Structures are given as structure tokens and as C-alpha cells.
Amino acid sequence: MRVYVTRKLPDEVAGILTPFFEVESWPHEDVPVSRSALLSGVETADGLVRLLTDRIDRSVLDGARRLKIVANVAVGFDNVDVGACTERGIAVTNTPGVLTESTADLAFALLLAAARRIPEAQDALKRFEWKAWSLMFLTGRDVHSATLGIVGMGRIGRAVARRAAGFSMRILYYSRRRDAEIEGETGAVFRPLDELLRESDFVSIHLPLTEETRHLIGERELSLMKPTSVLVNTSRGPVVDEAALCHALERRTIWAAGLDVYEEEPLPAQSPLRSLDNVVLLPHIGSATVTTRTRMASMAAENVREFLLRGKALTPVNPEVLALRRAIEQPNAD
Ligand code: DGY
């Protein structure tokens, strides 16, 4: 069987696949696969390992005659047409769990950096603008004892709540489901979204991108936030209406933001975000530690190996495909 990989993988990860499959890979580490290479790569592939930069839509799937699994090297799979995969009996997998703690660390780093103006302070020092210790020079906002609103209490939201408890923060959260365990562990209190936005000093977003969450935080929601508040987004850019956010930051109707994700990535050269001094901008590095990124890629490779060799996936997004395949392959199993 043949596996196509849309980016050069570390040798130890490639080694999960090469003993069992013919593996072809886009040769670059830092350049996304071209559309034409992707289309020809999947033509005869049984398995596909892809990154979040590579859109898997109907036009890719239509040419992928033998494809059985799309293994996503990310927990978010908004750039894969899962419905179209399911229709074609193609399994989709993602990488939940392995990146939770690293992403929560980065959300907290952004929260601290924006609140305490860390990049701005370092720039000032490097530009020789630190002339003397002054009373109100580069004063920021206290994180300890402030109120943190977590929007989306999944794995990463819960990991952020645990960190916030260590900073003696009051924790509010908004989620589809209430989470008694994290409420007990951190004292987090459920609030409807509007109330959470009104009451919080910091708002951190941890939602997947879906049709329901696209632009969930728009002009109206930003206008509910305190003028002293900080918005942090490490989930997906389009959950926040970026134009409305720029406007709020420019007019200082919110105090600052810390962003790792954008409506368009990489962030366009002309984005007004680049010229604001009250926003900390990172290039989608939430899970970017050596250990976590290696685990994510390994998990994707293991999903392909297990599915193609044994019909099992470790972390399926559309488990109905697996059940269907089992029923076809072993009709009398039950
Ligand atoms: C994900 O896994 O969805 C992240 O955005 C990449 O770390």
C-alpha cells in the first residue's frame, strides 16, 4: 500500500510507516505542499498524512480513488471536509490529548505577555528607551487574582483553568456542557457567554472552528468586554471577527489581545494588527514544542499504520466509517 505525506517528517516518525508501506512525501519541511503535488500524491494513495495548511476538499477526494484514511497532524480538522470523507468511506483522524498541555502553556504565556506588555518592554529596552526606573513606565495589568473567562471548556480550556487556579484567578467558563470535575478542581463557575464577557478581565478562547463558532466573537461581543480586558486566542482565527477586533484594539475599547491564530494564515503583510502596540502576535505555535510536535506527527503516522494494517484507528473523528468497514469486512462478526 502507498502513503502520501504532505510535509517532510522527522526520520523517527517516517520510520513508523516505511517498514510497511511505500511512502512518498513532499520534500520540504517549511513549505506547504503545492496543490498540484497534493492532487497527484493522493491519486494512488491508500493513506494520507496532512498538515493543517493543506485543504482536503471534494476536489482532492474526487481524484483519490484508493484513499482509505486522512490522518490530520493537528487536533483541529476544520480544513478537512469530514462529511465528504465519510460519504466515501474514508476515515479521518486527529491528534487530541498530546498537545493539550503545550497549547495551554502558550495560551497562558500570551495572557501574561499581553497583560505585562512583555514584547513591548523588551523592544523598549533594545531600542535604548529605558532611561531610568520610573513609576508608571510600561505598567500593565495584574494577572493574579483577576477574573479569567474561558470560552470552550474542552481539554485545552480545562488545562488553562488549572494554570489559572495557580495564579489565584477567579475562573468563569462558557461551554456547551457543564464540567463538574473542573468546577470542583478549580472553582470555575459557568456563565452564559455575554455575562462571561462582561465580567472577565481576561478572555481565553478554546473552541474548534465550526459554522456555529465562526465569528462567535464579533463587534457586539467585543463591546461587552471591559476596556481594561485582554482577549487571548490560541484556537482558530475565524472564531474571532478580526476586523472587529482590530477596531476594538485601535479604539482601546478592550485593552489588549494575545493572538496565535488568524483569519488568514500566515498573517497578511498588510494586516492592521501588525501596527498595533496593544497586541502580542505569534505565528500559530500553540503546540510547537519538540516533544509535542513529534508526538502529533507520530500519532498521525500510527493512525495510518493501524488503520491500513488492522482496520483500527487510535483517534478517529468519524468512527462510523470504521464501524462500516468492519461490518463490510466481517459481516458475521456480531
Ligand atoms: C491544532 O492541533 O489544531 C493546532 O492548531 C496545531 O497545533
Side-chain angles (χ1 to χ4, degrees):
M1 281 186 277
R2 207 178 143 266
V3 176
Y4 187 70
V5 184
T6 65
R7 208 68 75 88
K8 184 174 174 344
L9 295 175
D11 290 344
E12 66 190 280
V13 179
I16 296 171
L17 297 169
T18 44
F20 306 100
F21 310 108
E22 183 193 319
V23 179
E24 191 199 335
S25 151
W26 174 249
H28 308 289
E29 245 171 74
D30 299 325
V31 182
V33 66
S34 68
R35 193 73 177 165
S36 57
L38 173 62
L39 291 174
S40 78
V42 295
E43 247 171 38
T44 55
D46 298 278
L48 173 68
V49 177
R50 54 79 70 177
L51 302 198
L52 56 78
T53 42
D54 320 320
R55 194 162 32 86
I56 306 301
D57 53 20
R58 285 178 190 273
S59 68
V60 173
L61 299 171
D62 284 345
R65 295 183 305 277
R66 283 169 32 184
L67 194 62
K68 298 168 188 66
I69 176 164
V70 174
N72 191 30
V73 187
V75 69
F77 47 86
D78 44 277
N79 219 0
V80 177
D81 189 336
V82 177
C85 287
T86 307
E87 279 167 25
R88 292 161 171 78
I90 298 172
V92 179
T93 61
N94 67 343
T95 61
V98 289
L99 50 79
T100 301
E101 301 298 330
S102 303
T103 308
D105 285 347
L106 192 92
F108 226 82
L110 268 178
L111 187 154
L112 286 164
R116 298 302 303 271
R117 304 170 62 180
I118 290 173
E120 209 186 331
Q122 177 171 271
D123 288 351
L125 181 147
K126 288 188 173 172
R127 285 197 306 254
F128 300 95
E129 288 166 7
W130 181 29
K131 304 291 183 209
W133 190 94
S134 314
L135 197 59
M136 299 308 277
F137 182 50
L138 284 165
T139 44
R141 301 273 159 204
D142 275 328
V143 171
H144 67 85
S145 312
T147 298
L148 170 65
I150 297 178
V151 181
M153 199 53 118
R155 288 187 186 84
I156 300 173
R158 293 202 299 270
V160 169
R162 284 193 289 275
R163 282 155 182 73
F167 277 72
S168 309
M169 297 182 94
R170 175 175 168 248
I171 306 165
L172 308 177
Y173 76 101
Y174 167 72
S175 204
R176 267 188 313 199
R177 254 171 268 113
R178 298 194 55 168
D179 186 328
E181 195 184 313
I182 201 76
E183 288 182 10
E185 196 181 320
T186 63
V189 176
F190 180 85
R191 285 280 189 280
L193 182 60
D194 285 4
E195 282 179 38
L196 176 146
L197 295 171
R198 277 194 199 96
E199 279 182 55
S200 298
D201 301 305
F202 296 89
V203 174
S204 192
I205 300 174
H206 301 286
L207 291 169
L209 176 62
T210 63
E211 279 324 301
E212 290 76 52
T213 64
R214 186 177 294 277
H215 283 194
L216 182 78
I217 306 295
E219 191 184 340
R220 191 191 74 82
E221 290 71 26
L222 290 162
S223 76
L224 301 176
M225 291 175 63
K226 298 180 187 180
T228 51
S229 65
V230 174
L231 179 76
V232 173
N233 189 10
T234 52
S235 63
R236 283 291 181 269
V239 175
V240 177
D241 177 344
E242 210 166 272
L245 175 62
C246 283
H247 202 52
L249 289 166
E250 274 158 13
R251 294 170 52 227
R252 302 207 177 242
T253 60
I254 69 168
W255 195 70
L259 305 176
D260 187 40
V261 288
Y262 307 91
E263 290 213 50
E264 187 183 337
E265 296 184 2
L267 186 66
Q270 69 282 7
S271 167
L273 283 172
R274 290 178 184 271
S275 51
L276 297 174
D277 59 10
N278 54 346
V279 62
V280 180
L281 304 174
L282 298 179
H284 204 149
I285 56 165
S287 59
T289 68
V290 177
T291 306
T292 295
R293 286 284 167 89
T294 308
R295 282 200 186 133
M296 288 163 66
S298 302
M299 191 176 220
E302 282 160 10
N303 267 311
V304 168
R305 186 192 60 200
E306 290 310 297
F307 190 69
L308 291 183
L309 297 184
R310 284 178 266 280
K312 293 190 178 116
L314 311 173
T315 48
V317 165
N318 54 353
E320 61 274 31
V321 168
L322 277 77
L324 191 67
R325 277 191 178 261
R326 261 199 309 275
I328 294 168
E329 279 153 26
Q330 307 160 343
N332 303 317
D334 300 327

